[in-house]
Amino acid sequence: MRPNIVTEAGLPTRFNQWWASIPFITSGVVIICGVIYLVCLLVGYDSFVEICFLPSLIVSRFQVYRIFTSVLFHGSLLHVVFNMLALVPLGTELERIMGSVRILYLMMLLATSNAIFHLIIASLISYNPLHPYPFFMNECAIGFSGIIFSMIVIETSLSGAQSRSVFGLFNVPAKWYAWILLILFQLLASNVSLLGHLCGILSGFAYTLGLFKYLLPGPSFYSAIESSSLLSACVRHSGFILCTGGTTYGHLPTYSNVNTASSTPLIRRNLWRNLSSWMLHRDTSTNSPTGPAQDPRFPGRGRTLGAARNQQTTTDSDLSLQTRHSTGNTGVDGSAATNQGSDNFEEELNKLVAMGFEKIQAEVALTAADGDPTVAIEILMSQQG
């Protein structure tokens, strides 16, 4: 009898698999920041004062282009590598939920709001009548970390975790996670922009509290962009995720299941998963009746064009629909849900309907997700199109 075939993937194969799993916009930002740093390194460009975020010149000469050029340039190899490794898990999760066009708009919105907060705070500190401190008006800041801090706040709010692990050393309450990181980076790293990171945190909280909802366009805006002939090549890319089926007003719901709190942050788990995918490992081919294990929060990989998982997701949802109808006809409930659980289910269902999803589809998705609205939204997004 022939023994099981043991396969060993090389490092290039693992890297290609890891890279292919990163959505379109997130991978695009990584490429752009990496290429810009390499070009600056090769040509010897280090005049960051010409492109950095410098409040004094933005105010006096109205050089608003610095708002966007400053986030794409990095001062050292460690700077760009650390920022991009932090961006990949954060951007991947948020882009799969929101869609590629929406996450791009969010990054631009966060960059703008960070700059506004930066200018306001720097002006108040520098020109206060009691003790003027002009340092912040003349501080030259570069790097993507301000937006990353905003995304940390948004992802933490979305995950609903009760605690977060800081570098795997100790746990802190989730609501203090971003603030703890801010303090640690100031203490452990040199030449770090305190105001840049602080404004990133403020922008993240402003978004999660819904203060930016009037600045977020509706689904028709994103659909118009996705249907544009100019972007047809981008839309056909396998990593491009359509915005169809997302929240109608752009404010992400929070994960409210208190029984599933985890002390391990999603950022650290995903970062380890990304890094471990590069490693050589042996895999014995087996035929599992249940198929490969999936992330319970994100079944599949989100709905991308040309993805073959959509058919499987639809089949699973149809099966859930048949199971739910069968349960309703026989009056048998295997989990013996309490009245409070039923009320929570109806409340989450009404929220999904208010977002624009059809009631039957929302009910099926919420049932398949065991009442988790975040997973239900991901299932509904994968069925669109």
Side-chain angles (χ1 to χ4, degrees):
M1 182 176 180
R2 186 178 180 182
N4 291 334
I5 300 176
V6 178
T7 60
E8 181 172 335
L11 184 60
T13 301
R14 289 297 168 188
F15 176 82
N16 291 334
Q17 292 176 347
W18 170 78
W19 182 254
S21 68
I22 304 175
F24 183 75
I25 296 299
T26 303
S27 60
V29 173
V30 173
I31 292 175
I32 291 174
C33 291
V35 169
I36 288 178
Y37 175 77
L38 289 177
V39 171
C40 292
L41 187 65
L42 293 175
V43 302
Y45 179 84
D46 59 357
S47 300
F48 297 122
V49 70
E50 299 176 356
I51 50 87
C52 69
F53 187 88
L54 192 57
S56 59
L57 292 183
I58 294 177
V59 173
S60 62
R61 301 183 183 179
F62 199 64
Q63 296 179 349
V64 294
Y65 66 87
R66 294 175 177 272
I67 295 175
F68 302 104
T69 57
S70 60
V71 302
L72 300 177
F73 285 78
H74 294 80
S76 66
L77 178 61
L78 183 62
H79 189 197
V80 65
V81 169
F82 187 86
N83 278 354
M84 295 303 102
L85 286 179
L87 171 65
V88 166
L90 282 168
T92 297
E93 286 201 20
L94 293 179
E95 186 170 350
R96 287 174 181 170
I97 294 175
M98 305 174 71
S100 296
V101 177
R102 185 179 278 120
I103 193 66
L104 177 60
Y105 182 86
L106 175 63
M107 289 179 179
M108 298 176 63
L109 177 62
L110 292 175
T112 305
S113 61
N114 289 354
I116 294 175
F117 281 128
H118 199 139
L119 290 174
I120 293 175
I121 297 177
S123 299
L124 291 176
I125 296 177
S126 300
Y127 301 123
N128 75 87
L130 299 179
H131 190 280
Y133 192 68
F135 169 77
F136 289 111
M137 288 297 293
N138 298 316
E139 181 187 43
C140 185
I142 57 174
F144 207 82
S145 54
I147 297 179
I148 291 176
F149 266 89
S150 298
M151 297 174 73
I152 288 175
V153 174
I154 296 173
E155 191 274 340
T156 301
S157 175
L158 178 62
S159 70
Q162 301 300 310
S163 62
R164 290 286 196 178
S165 176
V166 179
F167 306 130
L169 301 177
F170 57 91
N171 294 337
V172 297
K175 63 181 180 181
W176 297 109
Y177 179 59
W179 301 104
I180 297 297
L181 290 180
L182 174 68
I183 296 173
L184 289 179
F185 280 122
Q186 289 299 131
L187 296 177
L188 300 178
S190 60
N191 199 23
V192 175
S193 175
L194 170 63
L195 197 53
H197 293 170
L198 173 62
C199 294
I201 295 177
L202 295 179
S203 293
F205 278 113
Y207 179 86
T208 57
L209 294 175
L211 301 182
F212 293 161
K213 62 181 179 180
Y214 297 108
L215 301 176
L216 299 172
S220 59
F221 172 80
Y222 303 114
S223 299
I225 294 179
E226 292 169 347
S227 60
S228 174
S229 59
L230 298 177
L231 299 179
S232 58
C234 297
V235 174
R236 288 195 299 267
H237 190 277
S238 60
F240 192 95
I241 300 177
L242 297 179
C243 300
T244 308
T247 57
T248 57
Y249 52 91
H251 182 222
L252 292 178
T254 55
Y255 183 74
S256 57
N257 191 349
V258 296
N259 295 326
T260 59
S262 172
S263 61
T264 304
L266 291 171
I267 297 175
R268 186 162 63 88
R269 287 185 301 182
N270 284 349
L271 181 58
W272 169 248
R273 184 161 60 246
N274 290 335
L275 294 178
S276 63
S277 66
W278 299 358
M279 302 177 183
L280 299 176
H281 77 286
R282 296 183 179 272
D283 183 21
T284 304
S285 58
T286 57
N287 295 326
S288 174
T290 59
Q294 294 181 347
D295 188 334
R297 289 186 62 232
F298 299 99
R301 289 288 184 181
R303 190 182 67 77
T304 57
L305 290 181
R309 302 179 182 88
N310 293 343
Q311 183 178 0
Q312 179 65 29
T313 305
T314 304
T315 304
D316 295 341
S317 299
D318 292 340
L319 179 59
S320 300
L321 177 60
Q322 296 174 3
T323 304
R324 183 166 181 81
H325 282 312
S326 175
T327 303
N329 293 333
T330 58
V332 177
D333 186 0
S335 62
T338 61
N339 292 333
Q340 182 179 0
S342 177
D343 293 339
N344 291 336
F345 182 89
E346 293 297 330
E347 181 181 358
E348 298 298 342
L349 177 60
N350 292 333
K351 290 181 180 179
L352 293 177
V353 174
M355 292 177 186
F357 297 114
E358 294 184 6
K359 185 174 181 179
I360 295 179
Q361 295 180 351
E363 185 179 10
V364 170
L366 196 59
T367 302
D370 293 330
D372 184 348
T374 305
V375 178
I377 290 175
E378 184 67 14
I379 295 175
L380 289 168
M381 290 176 62
S382 68
Q383 296 175 348
Q384 298 293 326

